[in-house]
Every structure is written in structure tokens, then in C-alpha cells.
Amino acid sequence: MGAHYLLRGFKLILQPGLRRFVIMPLLVNTLIFVLLIGLGINQFDRLTNWMLAFLPAWMNWLEWLLWPLFALLTLVFSFFSFSLIANLIGAPFNGVLAEAVEQHLTGRKIENQPLLKTLLQLVPMLFRELLKIVYFLLWAVPFLILFLIPGINLFAPFLWMLFSAWMLALQYLDYPMGNHGLSFAEQRKKLRDRRFNSLGFGGATLLATLIPVVNFLVMPAAVAGATIMWVELFDKPVTQVRI
């Protein structure tokens, strides 16, 4: 339920007519990933040395416990930073990719717009990206607090995964929906109406981001998969689209 749209997205971005629209999102994805990993490696040793400096000499044995913890925290921070920054910078290119995918699926020709109008459309697009970041932070804090509550913290990781899947569905379905003028509030309502499909798609995207090499292609594939969802589930009913 929903997960297969991501797989179809991977297949779709390899089509000859769409590959050129994937280049820029892929370059943005790769560049930001390399920069953040390089920054993380550079700062990781400094961070651990700074933290360990506060420990008394007799507690130096804790170093072997702290290193895995710091590594995990760095990985989590890098993952969410990477997702937020990559989608913020790549939003204009992802919007163009979503348009191209929709035209490929439906055969409906998208009219060329004046350059000024196209540039003006970047403003609401970037505004929606900022709204998603604020929305994420407002919900992330309560979810993270659950990890500190005894008993409930046993379920916190599963709740966090569901929240992450929901956020990724919101993130990528925004591109085809935003191209049709839907506000962030309207998008959330539509996703709630198709909650299981949305969570299935978001969950598959979350898992794909954890797979080395595959994660470089996740952003354009997820945009393509989200656009297929838009055409088949959220827009006018379509019996079958060609891929």
C-alpha cells in the first residue's frame, strides 16, 4: 500500500525522456551529501575530544561507550540535516521534475510559462519548504520527549519511524500537489484521506535512504513516485498510466 509507488519512481526516472530532468536533483543530492559527510568527519573527532575532556581520568574507560553514541547521534543529525537542506535547495528542480513526470504519465502538455511567472512561483515553493521545516520541528520535539518517558520509550522508536514516514510523504507529494496550487494545509488533508498509502510510500522512502548508493537516487525517484500517486490517487481517477 503505497510502497510500490517508490519502486515505480525508480523505474520511471530511467526513461529516456525524463533522465535529463533527474540530473540537477541528483547533483544537488550528491553535492550536499558529500559536503555534510566531509563536515561531519572533520568535526566528529573535535566533538568527542571536547566531550571527553569533561570526564575525570578514572572514567576514561567510558570512551569506548561514548564513541558509538556520538557516532549514532552524528548519523541521525546528518540524515535529517541532509534531507532538509537537500529538499530546500532542490525544491525548484524537483518541481520541474514533477511537472515532466506528470506530462509523461498523462500526456497532458504543460504550457510554457513566462520566465518572470516561473521565478515568482519559486517564492511559494520555498515558503512551503520552510513551512515543512517548522511543521517537522513542532512535532519532532514532543516525539523526542517520548524517548525520555519510562515505559513509553519502548514504543518511541516505532512512533518516530511512523512520523518520519509521514514527513517524507508530505515532503515529496508537495511537488506535484504544489504544481497544482494546493496549500500545505490542503496537502495534509489529502494525505490524511489516503493515510495508509501515504505512510506506505513514506516508509519505503525512509528505508531507501538508509541504503548506500541507492540513497543518492532516492530524491528524484521519490518525486517521480509521488507524482504517480498524485495522478492515480489524488487527481482525476486514471485506470492505468504508462511507465
Side-chain angles (χ1 to χ4, degrees):
M1 293 186 295
H4 70 287
Y5 287 107
L6 179 65
L7 298 176
R8 293 169 66 186
F10 274 107
K11 179 182 177 182
L12 192 59
I13 61 175
L14 299 178
Q15 296 291 324
L18 295 173
R19 282 200 294 259
R20 61 193 178 98
F21 295 100
V22 177
I23 294 175
M24 283 308 297
L26 182 59
L27 287 177
V28 170
N29 211 3
T30 304
L31 179 61
I32 294 175
F33 183 82
V34 170
L35 288 175
L36 282 177
I37 290 298
L39 180 63
I41 293 174
N42 182 53
Q43 298 298 321
F44 182 73
D45 190 55
R46 295 183 182 182
L47 174 63
T48 52
N49 289 334
W50 177 78
M51 293 290 289
L52 291 171
F54 290 93
L55 293 177
W58 64 272
M59 294 185 67
N60 285 342
W61 61 273
L62 285 176
E63 182 176 354
W64 70 277
L65 287 176
L66 293 177
W67 267 88
L69 176 61
F70 294 157
L72 178 61
L73 291 175
T74 302
L75 178 64
V76 172
F77 176 77
S78 297
F79 168 73
F80 283 106
S81 299
F82 166 70
S83 298
L84 292 174
I85 296 173
N87 284 290
L88 181 61
I89 297 177
F93 307 111
N94 289 335
V96 172
L97 174 59
E99 284 187 0
V101 170
E102 184 171 347
Q103 181 174 329
H104 174 84
L105 295 174
T106 63
R108 294 195 296 262
K109 185 173 179 58
I110 299 175
E111 298 181 2
N112 293 325
Q113 301 183 40
L115 178 60
L116 178 59
K117 185 176 180 180
T118 301
L119 292 175
L120 289 176
Q121 287 180 336
L122 296 180
V123 177
M125 184 180 295
L126 294 176
F127 179 70
R128 289 198 310 273
E129 290 298 321
L130 294 175
L131 277 179
K132 281 183 280 189
I133 292 175
V134 173
Y135 179 85
F136 168 78
L137 293 175
L138 288 176
W139 280 98
V141 173
F143 273 108
L144 291 174
I145 291 175
L146 295 179
F147 282 86
L148 305 176
I149 304 175
I152 296 179
N153 56 8
L154 297 175
F155 304 97
F158 302 101
L159 295 174
W160 179 258
M161 288 179 63
L162 284 174
F163 171 65
S164 299
W166 174 254
M167 281 303 308
L168 287 172
L170 274 176
Q171 176 66 59
Y172 289 109
L173 278 156
D174 169 60
Y175 298 117
M177 290 185 176
N179 285 341
H180 288 269
L182 273 70
S183 68
F184 187 49
E186 291 172 327
Q187 293 176 23
R188 297 201 309 274
K189 182 180 184 302
K190 282 188 172 292
L191 264 66
R192 285 194 297 268
D193 292 339
R194 298 278 188 174
R195 192 182 308 272
F196 292 111
N197 294 102
S198 300
L199 288 174
F201 171 74
T205 304
L206 177 62
L207 291 176
T209 59
L210 303 177
I211 303 174
V213 181
V214 174
N215 52 12
F216 285 94
L217 291 169
V218 166
M219 186 163 70
V223 173
T227 306
I228 300 173
M229 284 189 68
W230 161 256
V231 170
E232 292 189 350
L233 296 182
F234 297 103
D235 197 14
K236 296 178 181 178
V238 176
T239 55
Q240 182 63 44
V241 296
R242 57 192 180 91
I243 295 180

